[in-house]
Amino acid sequence: MFIKPAPGCAARHPGTLRLLAEQGEAVAPSPYWHRLIAAGAVITCAPPAEPAPDHGDHDHSDPHEDNPHSHEQELS
């Protein structure tokens, strides 16, 4: 599940005692997190949208840029 601290609250991970990130984190459901949800210390939310995948569509304004051998002809 994805949770984040409620406004004005902070919560620590059990075991590590690391603070839960303000932007939220995915955590395994457990009685600990459910207690904090019930107490209003953390809230469940949707994870942030992932950036669009890079499909390799790059600007190829210089056709020789990606081919290191393309300049060999110019050098001879």
Side-chain angles (χ1 to χ4, degrees):
M1 70 182 167
F2 198 88
I3 60 172
K4 66 180 183 178
C9 294
R12 294 189 180 272
H13 284 268
T16 65
L17 301 180
R18 182 177 59 80
L19 286 174
L20 183 66
E22 286 185 28
Q23 69 272 16
E25 297 180 36
V27 298
S30 71
Y32 173 79
W33 293 120
H34 286 288
R35 276 195 310 275
L36 292 182
I37 292 167
V42 298
I43 55 175
T44 59
C45 58
E50 294 183 19
D54 183 7
H55 294 291
D57 298 334
H58 301 287
D59 179 15
H60 294 291
S61 55
D62 180 0
H64 302 293
E65 182 177 282
D66 291 337
N67 185 353
H69 303 292
S70 63
H71 294 288
E72 287 177 3
Q73 197 172 36
E74 295 174 14
L75 297 174
S76 44

